[in-house]
Amino acid sequence: MTPLLSVQGITKRYGHHIGCADVSFDLYPGEVMGIVGESGSGKSTLLNCLAGHMTPDAGQVVFDTRADGPRDTVTMSEPARRMLGRTDWAFVHQNARDGLRMGVSAGGNVGERLMAVGARNYGDIRAQATDWLGRVEIDATRVDDRPTTFSGGMQQRLQIARNLVTGPRLVFMDEPTGGLDVSVQARLLDLLRGLVRDMGLSAIIVTHDLAVVRLLADRLMVMKSGHVVEAGLTDQVLDDPQHAYSQLLVSSVLQV
Amino acid sequence: MTMQNDAYNFAYLDEQTKRMIRRAILKGLAIPGYQVPFASREMPMPYGWGTGGVQVSAAVLTPEDTFKVIDQGADDTTNAVSIRTFFERTAGVATTTTTRNATVIQTRHRIPEEPLTEGQILVYQVPIPEPLRFLEPRESETRKMHSLEEYGLMHVKLYEDIARHGHIATSYAYPVKVEGRYVMDPSPIPKFDNPKLGNMAAIQLFGAGREQRIYALPPYTQVVSLDFEDHPFVASKADHPCGMCGAEDSYLDEVIIDDAGGRMFVCSDTDYCEGRQTAGHKGKDAA
């Protein structure tokens, strides 16, 4: 089986500082990969390099495109990479305001990706937008309301709907539950787990919340100071951490 | 009396500036709908009064030209009168209010009703050249969207219109696609005028002074107004005949005539309206 995403030796430096160094892994279709680590450990840098928001200094990000098979997204042309960004890829920001157009109605937010790939029938666009609002548990009567009138949890769910409407195959998530209260987090995680399983999505989730990866991720990478210090199955890493930092991370979780 | 011999260079601008603007115009004509940056000069009028249009006019005017200026279709409004006088004094060119006789027409917010012909130049005053501005505030990003032809966002605006008003409520500065490539802001002309943009015999030049952009449509260019399959573009106007000349096919201004709700509709194109009245047409409000 061809990996959906094959990452080899991704390195990004900020001057003398290391963003992330020599990260390699394969992600197979339907697999969810978690990346955990403390603040400044290079998780977000890595994610941005993978999603094409940043150009890595070295390494390859080979994505199995629908049309042409495996292609290196670092060296592919910018139009092709941006096209991937609105079709086969999705990016869920930590702060929903970064991923939404706050001045545009919920329906317009969801419809934007459809229109970006050529949908020109208002009725169809609106029907799909309404359908997706339902899937992320937003009432259909809110379709013409602006995201500014939504709660934090609703904004995050709207952002997810907006990203998944074109049926992407790979979703990048940067702390999708950050800044939400725990009950809203729980519902969002439940929703995400359902969507990922139903649509057979592959996902890369960056988080510092071990509960999130425990629930969603099949595999886990632990990062520290830009390096991957441990990788393996989620349960294996969390239940039997080998590296000193992983042990610290696992033992730092407060037990209620 | 003209002043160009002693006080000003012909048509106010110095020759190097005109050269720079002409290069931008030529580039704009070569890439229809593409916004060409240019080094906009300070003009002796405030931004928003047509500094871009005036610079473009100054760069294309020759001593043999006949110049016409319209503001919202009218020859006799402040903006039109002051710009016309400006070029009378600094270029000494002949001026006219008759569309047919003009070789260069500078316009704010209208296209004349009378079809323009080959050899004429229509110069638009443009306040905001970037059609994506209010959807995407980052200029770096909109430029990238133009270069990569990513225009989905333009339809989001139209979607929002329909979602909020039940129909496409954008009635002026209605976005168009030029030759299947660039999405362009046609300046704040009413969408009634949009169909005239395409396949026009005259050269159309757009100047935005504050924003320092020039763009252009060469003659006989394909210009399509954006729309949805199930909400097609409609060129709308007030559903009345002109009160002065009775024209049914011209764009109308609504004029309040008393404080008891009285109003009349008249052609916004004064030259067109006067021409029809001279030819004997009479509307219901004509004296």
Side-chain angles (χ1 to χ4, degrees):
Chain A
M1 191 154 106
T2 339
L4 184 67
L5 190 74
S6 177
V7 179
Q8 277 134 35
I10 285 294
T11 302
K12 175 75 186 174
R13 285 190 191 83
Y14 302 107
H16 291 297
H17 295 282
I18 292 176
C20 60
D22 200 23
V23 178
S24 305
F25 65 89
D26 286 339
L27 184 77
Y28 288 89
E31 197 174 28
V32 179
M33 166 98 137
I35 303 175
V36 295
E38 62 193 0
S39 297
S41 60
K43 318 181 292 273
S44 296
T45 299
L46 175 62
L47 195 72
N48 282 324
C49 287
L50 298 181
H53 297 173
M54 252 183 221
T55 313
D57 296 326
Q60 283 186 315
V61 181
V62 180
F63 180 73
D64 186 17
T65 58
R66 273 184 232 226
D68 307 320
R71 298 259 323 267
D72 183 3
T73 63
V74 177
T75 53
M76 78 167 35
S77 70
E78 192 177 12
R81 188 164 53 235
R82 284 174 68 113
M83 189 65 187
L84 271 184
R86 42 179 209 272
T87 53
D88 267 355
W89 289 358
F91 197 101
V92 178
H93 293 264
Q94 170 175 8
N95 190 340
R97 284 162 183 268
D98 296 338
L100 292 173
R101 293 197 187 275
M102 298 309 281
V104 170
S105 71
N109 264 295
V110 179
E112 181 180 345
R113 268 170 85 106
L114 294 170
M115 292 181 248
V117 295
R120 291 291 179 263
N121 187 304
Y122 175 81
D124 293 350
I125 293 166
R126 195 170 172 83
Q128 280 208 54
T130 315
D131 174 48
W132 264 98
L133 289 185
R135 289 209 222 178
V136 297
E137 299 167 16
I138 295 174
D139 197 287
T141 55
R142 302 298 300 270
V143 67
D144 292 332
D145 293 348
R146 292 185 180 192
T148 39
T149 66
F150 286 11
S151 68
M154 281 171 80
Q155 286 180 1
Q156 196 57 285
R157 279 179 276 145
L158 179 62
Q159 191 194 183
I160 288 163
R162 166 185 161 89
N163 271 287
L164 297 188
V165 66
T166 47
R169 293 188 295 156
L170 176 59
V171 186
F172 300 99
M173 295 190 218
D174 191 1
E175 312 254 11
T177 59
L180 301 175
D181 74 56
V182 280
S183 62
V184 175
Q185 268 191 32
R187 276 181 66 197
L188 188 72
L189 285 174
D190 206 37
L191 175 76
L192 274 176
R193 192 162 55 168
L195 288 172
V196 165
R197 294 284 177 268
D198 291 348
M199 299 176 71
L201 292 175
S202 302
I204 298 177
I205 301 176
V206 160
T207 182
H208 55 242
D209 188 343
L210 294 182
V212 171
V213 289
R214 175 77 90 174
L215 271 171
L216 288 177
D218 304 311
R219 280 200 298 144
L220 189 59
M221 279 194 334
V222 182
M223 289 187 75
K224 167 116 175 62
S225 313
H227 295 271
V228 175
V229 294
E230 189 165 352
L233 296 174
T234 303
D235 292 346
Q236 178 195 333
V237 175
L238 291 183
D239 294 340
D240 183 19
Q242 300 295 310
H243 189 272
Y245 176 70
S246 313
Q247 292 170 355
L248 176 72
L249 196 68
V250 171
S251 62
S252 304
V253 177
L254 288 176
Q255 302 295 327
V256 184
Chain B
M1 200 189 89
T2 63
M3 291 162 56
Q4 82 266 25
N5 290 332
D6 37 359
Y8 293 111
N9 186 38
F10 173 73
Y12 188 74
L13 293 174
D14 62 279
E15 291 304 316
Q16 285 303 312
T17 299
K18 286 195 211 167
R19 181 180 139 112
M20 174 269 295
I21 294 172
R22 286 174 192 149
R23 289 173 71 117
I25 292 172
L26 287 174
K27 184 170 180 181
L29 285 166
I31 319 171
Y34 171 73
Q35 299 167 44
V36 186
F38 79 111
S40 179
R41 299 294 192 245
E42 292 270 342
M43 297 303 281
M45 58 174 68
Y47 288 125
W49 283 60
T51 52
V54 163
Q55 289 179 76
V56 171
S57 293
V60 298
L61 273 177
T62 66
E64 294 76 38
D65 271 319
T66 308
F67 191 56
K68 170 182 162 84
V69 190
I70 51 174
D71 169 9
Q72 308 268 12
D75 290 281
D76 51 5
T77 46
T78 315
N79 196 226
V81 170
S82 62
I83 292 174
R84 189 164 59 232
T85 313
F86 176 75
F87 280 114
E88 277 169 4
R89 293 181 57 183
T90 60
V93 292
T95 55
T96 180
T97 58
T98 314
T99 304
R100 189 176 311 125
N101 297 340
T103 51
V104 178
I105 304 173
Q106 182 170 333
T107 175
R108 172 173 177 265
H109 301 191
R110 271 315 305 278
I111 298 175
E113 301 292 352
E114 187 172 326
L116 301 183
T117 55
E118 286 180 24
Q120 288 184 306
I121 300 177
L122 186 60
V123 179
Y124 296 78
Q125 303 172 195
V126 182
I128 294 167
E130 179 52 73
L132 301 162
R133 171 69 50 86
F134 294 108
L135 299 151
E136 174 55 67
R138 288 168 295 179
E139 181 78 14
S140 58
E141 187 65 18
T142 54
R143 261 187 244 175
K144 190 162 276 179
M145 290 159 83
H146 281 295
S147 62
L148 300 179
E149 226 179 317
E150 291 180 0
Y151 289 131
L153 197 52
M154 205 68 250
H155 273 85
V156 173
K157 178 182 154 69
L158 302 179
Y159 171 95
E160 287 291 290
D161 262 10
I162 305 173
R164 204 162 300 158
H165 305 287
H167 60 100
I168 299 179
T170 302
S171 57
Y172 65 95
Y174 192 102
V176 293
K177 194 162 206 178
V178 180
E179 286 288 331
R181 179 60 181 85
Y182 283 97
V183 166
M184 186 188 96
D185 184 330
S187 87
I189 58 171
K191 66 177 169 182
F192 174 81
D193 282 342
N194 267 25
K196 299 182 204 161
L197 287 164
N199 212 25
M200 188 191 275
I203 295 174
Q204 299 173 78
L205 305 175
F206 299 77
R210 178 180 45 210
E211 303 280 333
Q212 313 198 319
R213 294 289 183 278
I214 284 173
Y215 50 104
L217 297 173
Y220 307 110
T221 303
Q222 184 207 58
V223 179
V224 179
S225 303
L226 299 179
D227 59 2
F228 286 103
E229 290 162 4
D230 44 353
H231 285 268
F233 170 80
V234 181
S236 61
K237 67 183 272 284
D239 191 17
H240 293 270
C242 170
M244 300 301 286
C245 73
E248 309 250 357
D249 58 350
S250 70
Y251 191 74
L252 302 174
D253 287 337
E254 184 180 359
V255 183
I256 307 293
I257 49 177
D258 54 34
D259 59 359
R263 56 191 186 153
M264 67 184 286
F265 290 89
V266 285
C267 294
S268 89
D269 187 335
T270 50
D271 173 55
Y272 182 74
C273 197
E274 280 160 20
R276 278 180 56 88
Q277 289 178 62
T278 312
H281 296 279
K282 253 194 174 0
K284 66 178 178 60
D285 301 316

